[in-house]
């Protein structure tokens, strides 16, 4: 798939209740979701033919739309079935899935109460967000110029497309300097998250992570916190100032795309992937694998 534009991939996409050829999944240039960011999406991974946390992602998709004041006209069950159908239609087992809902083109302007709500679901092969070499030694992050906004100024609980504009800008700037990603602070200058993943730190056997009060409280974030608790590892959710990073020993990112990815550097601060980071990587990869009984083939 490397080097092939996404609009030229082969396969099928679920669009507004119908399965269409990949190249025919299109929308009009005057779509409200394109001009005003009135769209919400999810990112999921499938392992061995099973989509991890499918129900939770679909619930969040509906909740995100409600935050943006529109209702997706397909039930959670219909969306879940469509996601699984996309794996079958595209002959995929280990894959990434992208459901996205948006306001259509009936009204063009800030106000768009009468616009049709559309939904598309695509699935494709997508390996780890970062290269294997980067993940083994830990990725390098720059410090982003832009910050996560005050929660009173943006619908941060929604996985809304418009909220990712500053993430794209920040990631591009970091990559131009040779980094893999960037760490964003919040509007008060405290540690928040990376451009598309939550961040965790380790010190003296304890995991520390920022309180998710101005950025998306990730499903993978919750999964990893649960895995840490199952190991008897304390997880403290608190305010973290940037200068505190000097005292942390380990750092890792979490997200459906990023999975669990070690970090070796954030700006002037260095980290060494250690036992807790490795445990979280191993435990997460075990957690996402399908149950053994689902892999048995009837004789």
């Amino acid at each position: 798939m490397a080097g092939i534009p996404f609009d030229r991939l082969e396969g099928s996409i679920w669009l507004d209740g119908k399965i269409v050829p990949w190249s025919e999944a299109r929308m009009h240039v005057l779509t409200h979701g394109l001009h005003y960011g009135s769209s919400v999406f999810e990112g999921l991974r499938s392992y061995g033919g099973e989509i991890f946390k499918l129900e939770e992602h679909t619930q969040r998709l509906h909740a995100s739309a409600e935050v943006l004041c529109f209702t997706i006209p397909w039930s959670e069950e219909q969306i879940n079935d469509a996601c699984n159908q996309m794996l079958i239609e595209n002959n995929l087992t280990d894959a990434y899935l992208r459901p996205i809902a948006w306001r259509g083109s009936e009204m063009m302007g800030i106000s768009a109460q009468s616009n049709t709500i559309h939904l598309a679901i695509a699935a494709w092969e997508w390996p780890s967000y970062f290269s294997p070499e980067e993940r083994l030694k830990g990725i390098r992050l720059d410090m982003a110029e832009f910050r996560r906004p005050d929660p009173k100024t943006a619908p941060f609980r929604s996985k809304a497309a418009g909220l990712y504009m500053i993430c794209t800008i920040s990631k591009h700037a970091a990559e131009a300097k040779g980094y893999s990603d960037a760490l964003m602070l919040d509007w008060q200058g405290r540690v928040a998250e990376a451009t598309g993943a939550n961040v965790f730190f380790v010190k003296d056997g304890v995991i520390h992570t920022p309180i998710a009060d101005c950025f998306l409280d990730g499903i993978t974030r919750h999964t990893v916190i649960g895995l840490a608790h199952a190991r008897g590892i304390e997880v403290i959710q608190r305010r973290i100032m940037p200068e505190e990073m000097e005292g942390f020993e380990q750092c890792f990112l979490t997200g459906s795309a990023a999975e669990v990815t070690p970090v070796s550097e954030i700006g002037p601060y260095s980290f060494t992937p250690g036992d807790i980071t490795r445990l979280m990587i191993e435990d997460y990869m075990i957690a996402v694998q399908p149950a053994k009984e689902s892999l048995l083939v009837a004789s």
Side-chain angles (χ1 to χ4, degrees):
M1 193 187 80
I4 303 175
F6 271 79
D7 61 347
R8 296 182 186 177
L9 295 179
E10 295 182 356
S12 300
I13 290 178
W14 191 98
L15 177 62
D16 289 343
K18 298 179 181 179
I19 297 174
V20 302
W22 194 283
S23 61
E24 295 179 17
R26 300 186 180 278
M27 65 180 185
H28 197 272
V29 295
L30 294 181
T31 295
H32 196 274
L34 175 64
H35 289 254
Y36 296 98
S38 54
S39 64
V40 296
F41 69 97
E42 281 295 320
L44 309 85
R45 278 193 185 271
S46 167
Y47 299 87
E50 283 193 20
I51 302 171
F52 187 63
K53 302 282 187 177
L54 172 58
E55 292 79 10
E56 291 183 34
H57 280 281
T58 302
Q59 290 168 7
R60 189 172 68 181
L61 183 70
H62 269 272
S64 291
E66 290 174 5
V67 172
L68 267 62
C69 300
F70 68 81
T71 300
I72 299 173
W74 286 274
S75 69
E76 291 179 13
E77 183 178 3
Q78 287 174 312
I79 294 173
N80 292 341
D81 288 344
C83 286
N84 284 313
Q85 193 174 12
M86 283 300 91
L87 292 182
I88 296 170
E89 286 287 333
N90 292 293
N91 194 29
L92 296 169
T93 54
D94 297 324
Y96 184 83
L97 295 95
R98 171 55 57 86
I100 181 167
W102 67 94
R103 286 192 176 98
S105 54
E106 288 82 3
M107 297 173 68
M108 180 47 59
I110 298 297
S111 181
Q113 297 95 328
S114 300
N115 287 29
T116 299
I117 304 304
H118 299 273
L119 176 67
I121 302 169
W124 62 89
E125 286 188 14
W126 197 14
S128 175
Y129 200 45
F130 301 103
S131 72
E133 294 77 15
E134 285 180 311
R135 292 191 69 185
L136 284 173
K137 65 183 181 181
I139 64 170
R140 299 171 60 244
L141 274 61
D142 191 17
M143 295 296 297
E145 177 182 356
F146 284 99
R147 297 184 176 189
R148 299 313 304 172
D150 184 325
K152 294 181 181 179
T153 66
F156 75 95
R157 297 190 189 280
S158 173
K159 194 170 176 67
L163 298 178
Y164 285 80
M165 175 183 65
I166 58 175
C167 300
T168 296
I169 294 171
S170 299
K171 189 171 176 66
H172 285 182
E175 290 175 337
K177 299 177 185 177
Y179 294 92
S180 298
D181 203 350
L183 180 77
M184 306 184 79
L185 304 180
D186 70 10
W187 85 104
Q188 291 186 324
R190 304 171 301 202
V191 173
E193 61 174 349
T195 61
N198 295 127
V199 64
F200 290 79
F201 301 95
V202 179
K203 181 178 181 180
D204 298 330
V206 176
I207 296 176
H208 302 255
T209 191
I211 298 171
D213 61 353
C214 67
F215 56 87
L216 199 66
D217 188 2
I219 291 172
T220 307
R221 178 180 184 271
H222 275 275
T223 300
V224 169
I225 289 173
L227 292 171
H229 287 160
R231 286 275 186 181
I233 300 170
E234 184 180 5
V235 179
I236 300 175
Q237 301 183 54
R238 64 179 182 85
R239 314 292 186 194
I240 299 175
M241 298 305 295
E243 57 268 23
E244 291 186 66
M245 290 191 284
E246 185 174 5
F248 290 127
E249 302 150 4
Q250 304 173 48
C251 177
F252 58 88
L253 305 180
T254 65
S256 293
E259 299 171 309
V260 179
T261 297
V263 174
S264 63
E265 180 182 322
I266 300 178
Y269 307 107
S270 298
F271 313 94
T272 302
D275 290 343
I276 289 181
T277 299
R278 285 192 287 270
L279 276 176
M280 293 302 96
I281 293 172
E282 293 168 3
D283 287 356
Y284 183 74
M285 295 315 296
I286 291 171
V288 300
Q289 296 305 317
K292 289 183 178 178
E293 55 266 26
S294 68
L295 299 178
L296 296 178
V297 179
S299 58

